[in-house]
Amino acid sequence: MENVTITKQAESLIAALSGEIDHHSAVRVRQEIDEALYLYLPKTLVMDIGGVAFMDSSGLGLIMGRFAKAREIGAALIVKNPSLRAKKMLALAGLEKLIETEESEAK
């Protein structure tokens, strides 16, 4: 089962995703992240996708859409702990130059 856990830390909103991100799960995850974005208006949105076992193009769309929403409110987006496959998907979409990626220190 797909999951998103949202926490606020200082001026950042952290959305930790887990499980599978496909067409069906992306809708609910998108709604939860967007509600929190507009509620807290953070300076940075961190999408931690390290716990995502599978992501199709819907997951890429989820990331692209959150990038646009974050920009609307003046926030930056960081994609944390992307798998090699997720990094390749971001690169193929031309997003690696727009969206910052980050690895956890302890891996």
Side-chain angles (χ1 to χ4, degrees), residues 19-38:
E20 298 187 356
I21 305 297
D22 58 18
H23 173 71
H24 299 289
S25 62
V27 173
R28 185 182 62 79
V29 170
R30 179 176 63 238
Q31 289 171 339
E32 289 189 38
I33 294 173
D34 288 355
E35 284 175 16
L37 263 180
Y38 289 114

Side-chain angles (χ1 to χ4, degrees), residues 37-102:
L37 263 180
Y38 289 114
L39 177 64
Y40 296 113
L41 300 172
K43 293 212 183 304
T44 307
L45 169 62
V46 178
M47 291 181 69
D48 187 340
I49 61 172
V52 174
F54 170 80
M55 181 175 80
D56 64 10
S57 61
S58 299
L60 186 60
L62 176 70
I63 293 170
M64 290 170 58
R66 290 337 84 215
F67 173 71
K69 292 286 183 190
R71 285 188 63 169
E72 278 179 21
I73 64 165
L77 171 65
I78 297 172
V79 174
K80 192 168 183 177
N81 300 316
S83 66
L84 186 58
R85 184 171 191 271
K87 284 182 185 177
K88 287 180 182 177
M89 288 175 73
L90 290 169
L92 286 171
L95 296 176
E96 81 281 6
K97 291 179 177 69
L98 296 175
I99 298 174
E100 182 181 345
T101 59
E102 181 180 288

